Amino acid sequence: MMRIVRPVVTISGLLALWHGAYLLNGRRSYLLPSPWETLQTGVARFDSLWGHALVTWGEILLGLMLGTLLGTISAVVLVSWATARRWLMPLLVVSQAVPVFALAPLLVLWLGYGLGSKVAMATLIIYFPVASAFLDGLRRTEPGWLDQARMMNAGRWATLWHLRLPAALPALASGLRVAAAVAPIGAVVGEWVGSSAGLGYLMLHANARMQIDVMFAALALLAVFSVALYRIVDAAMRRLVSWQTETNA
Amino acid sequence: MTPDGQSTTDHFSDPTAQAGAGLGVRLSGAHLSYDDTRLFDDLSLTLTAGRMTVLLGPSGVGKSTVLRLLAGLEDGAHARATIRCDDGGPLTGRVAYMAQRDSLLPWASVLDNAVLGARLRGEPLGPARDRARALLAEVGLGDRLVDRPGALSGGMRQRVSLARALMEDRPVVLMDEPFSALDFLTRLRLQDLTARLLAGRTVLLVTHDPLEALRMGHAVHVLHGRPATLDEALVPPGAPPRDPTDRDVLALQGELLHRLTGAGHGGAVA
């Protein structure tokens, strides 16, 4: 019961706050439209909004998949190959010192105005949290389990596959939750820098034409998708590492 | 050396099945030091074939390290020793290990935990599972095969560990305080079960519990002092597992307590 009540209360509260701000602001819809006006705009321009939303959502999902794939592979390579770790770890850390946003113009220049540059942005922003969280997990296998594996004459790869990987799944899950939360940022920033479609593009376009209600409708769609994405990833991770809550209970 | 008179019906714990009549092992010149502190130096310990040798000592005396030296788990940075087997072969690969805390994998079922060794070595899982089912039934967990360790009590978890150690079917079994986290009655039951299932194997049991040492050991060594020295083995009368209320056992418990607290600096009995 509370599972339904809580979000309803939260969402109504936020909408009330929004509407309160609208009233306080003297109902100047050209600065801050009311929730109701935003909804009306959303319905009226649904076709256009939906088309742009699909583009952005696609970019986010592709980026999430690609970033997760690259991040997990990197972590496995780094943990199982000491030479790679020594050479690449500093590089990995330095790569994070370069703000991904600063790369956005370059990516647009290299990969064009289309899907590619946005997926690359989202991938880049997701890659690091996934790789570092998973690597951390892989390097912190319970020593007792590794002792046990040695006594069982287990090979390196068998130990990695049957012990270290499953043991690192909770850490990977934390990384993926962060990734799911930041993935939309990458896609939208990419769209702001240069694009011809997507919610970011629509917002920039609407902003220039003082169509604040369109901006808000786009923002709302983005927020709904981001929250849904986070919840889905979170639920999937809970299922994946259900044993962890069991032992911590 | 022959296994003691306890015959078991199940062929997995039959020492003649694969493990042979146990394997005698001698550890000598064992050394352990951290920085400037020598915990022990030139220590020797003999594990008689087919018998359970108990190493009793207070916490922090280095008894787990003796066990880890035999297991080959020490990397030589702090501890080293020479290990010889009766048959001249290496000990590596012929040892099963049961740790202090249950080292079961929390994501794997009881059955999957029991067949971990086979899985890690890439052996066919079918036969391993059949054997594991029989062994788990033997330790009283036949109806908990699909449960995860989180759903089991501490005693049950150690029984899975025991089954997993038996799955390895090695002539030598090393046990590092396997029952120390259990309540008294559970501990007694597990000691009985363990003595029965490990009969005929060469076992080293490390413990800080004098009663456990007396119930389980064919020979009991006390490790105490700093640097630690090993007492002449105490050989309790009768075959393990001995009755904890037995007069001789209780008298010897007094003797062991005296050795633990009286001699050396290791004053505390955990």
Side-chain angles (χ1 to χ4, degrees), chain A residues 142 144-155 158-159 162-164 166-168 241-244 246-247, chain B residues 68 71-73 93 95-99 101 103-107 116-117 119-121 148 150-151 164 168 170:
Chain A
E142 179 87 21
W145 298 342
L146 296 177
D147 285 348
Q148 200 56 253
R150 271 176 71 181
M151 301 308 299
M152 289 168 168
N153 305 345
T159 307
H162 293 297
L163 279 184
R164 307 184 75 152
V241 295
S242 60
W243 49 270
Q244 198 198 22
E246 248 171 49
T247 50
Chain B
R68 291 177 61 83
L73 289 172
V95 182
Y97 173 61
M98 188 169 159
R101 283 174 303 127
S103 51
L104 301 179
L105 308 179
W107 59 84
L116 179 66
R119 171 165 280 143
L120 284 173
R121 287 185 296 269
R148 282 175 177 166
R164 187 173 65 178
E168 296 300 291
R170 307 276 175 87

Side-chain angles (χ1 to χ4, degrees), chain A residues 52-75:
Chain A
H52 286 295
L54 284 182
V55 172
T56 304
W57 294 345
E59 292 162 359
I60 294 172
L61 286 179
L62 278 173
L64 192 61
M65 281 190 274
L66 214 59
T68 304
L69 195 70
L70 291 174
T72 47
I73 290 172
S74 305

Side-chain angles (χ1 to χ4, degrees), chain A residues 60 64 122 125-126 129-130 173-188 222-223 225-231 233-234:
Chain A
I60 294 172
L64 192 61
I125 212 166
I126 287 157
V130 171
S174 313
L176 279 179
R177 286 194 187 95
V178 175
V182 298
I185 301 176
V188 170
L222 193 63
F225 178 77
S226 302
V227 170
L229 181 68
Y230 181 83
R231 297 303 288 261
V233 169
D234 186 53

Side-chain angles (χ1 to χ4, degrees), chain A:
Chain A
M1 191 58 197
M2 278 313 280
R3 280 176 60 114
I4 300 166
V5 171
R6 249 195 315 252
V8 168
V9 169
T10 309
I11 290 168
S12 326
L14 284 174
L15 287 176
L17 271 176
W18 180 359
H19 195 73
Y22 166 72
L23 293 178
L24 276 175
N25 197 35
R27 299 167 188 259
R28 286 179 290 183
S29 299
Y30 59 92
L31 282 179
L32 176 67
S34 73
W36 176 241
E37 287 165 352
T38 306
L39 183 66
Q40 281 178 317
T41 308
V43 171
R45 294 171 164 254
F46 182 78
D47 286 343
S48 140
L49 276 166
W50 187 251
H52 286 295
L54 284 182
V55 172
T56 304
W57 294 345
E59 292 162 359
I60 294 172
L61 286 179
L62 278 173
L64 192 61
M65 281 190 274
L66 214 59
T68 304
L69 195 70
L70 291 174
T72 47
I73 290 172
S74 305
V76 170
V77 167
L78 287 177
V79 83
S80 49
W81 192 16
T83 317
R85 189 160 65 238
R86 273 192 290 276
W87 284 92
L88 296 178
M89 266 307 272
L91 217 62
L92 193 72
V93 175
V94 168
S95 78
Q96 276 311 287
V98 180
V100 180
F101 304 136
L103 293 177
L106 273 178
L107 289 175
V108 171
L109 183 67
W110 291 336
L111 300 174
Y113 278 76
L115 195 69
S117 54
K118 285 77 195 172
V119 173
M121 273 295 288
T123 304
L124 271 178
I125 212 166
I126 287 157
Y127 171 78
F128 190 75
V130 171
S132 72
F134 197 32
L135 184 63
D136 239 28
L138 286 170
R139 297 179 77 176
R140 288 204 194 132
T141 315
E142 179 87 21
W145 298 342
L146 296 177
D147 285 348
Q148 200 56 253
R150 271 176 71 181
M151 301 308 299
M152 289 168 168
N153 305 345
R156 239 164 72 96
W157 295 110
T159 307
L160 180 68
W161 182 249
H162 293 297
L163 279 184
R164 307 184 75 152
L165 275 176
L169 285 182
L172 175 64
S174 313
L176 279 179
R177 286 194 187 95
V178 175
V182 298
I185 301 176
V188 170
V189 168
E191 288 173 356
W192 279 349
V193 172
S195 61
S196 49
L199 289 174
Y201 163 80
L202 187 67
M203 286 163 79
L204 214 60
H205 197 69
N207 197 20
R209 296 174 173 200
M210 293 293 280
Q211 293 172 327
I212 306 299
D213 49 348
V214 175
M215 268 197 79
F216 267 79
L219 205 56
L221 270 178
L222 193 63
V224 166
F225 178 77
S226 302
V227 170
L229 181 68
Y230 181 83
R231 297 303 288 261
I232 290 167
V233 169
D234 186 53
M237 292 304 109
R238 267 176 215 286
R239 274 187 82 96
L240 187 67
V241 295
S242 60
W243 49 270
Q244 198 198 22
T245 44
E246 248 171 49
T247 50
N248 292 347

Side-chain angles (χ1 to χ4, degrees), chain B residues 61-115:
Chain B
V61 77
K63 46 189 195 309
S64 288
T65 307
V66 173
L67 183 136
R68 291 177 61 83
L69 277 167
L70 281 162
L73 289 172
E74 286 293 327
D75 57 8
H78 300 287
R80 57 182 178 272
T82 309
I83 294 159
R84 281 212 178 77
C85 297
D86 278 357
D87 60 0
L91 184 58
T92 317
R94 294 197 280 180
V95 182
Y97 173 61
M98 188 169 159
Q100 195 160 5
R101 283 174 303 127
D102 63 306
S103 51
L104 301 179
L105 308 179
W107 59 84
S109 68
V110 164
L111 186 63
D112 282 341
N113 265 293
V115 298

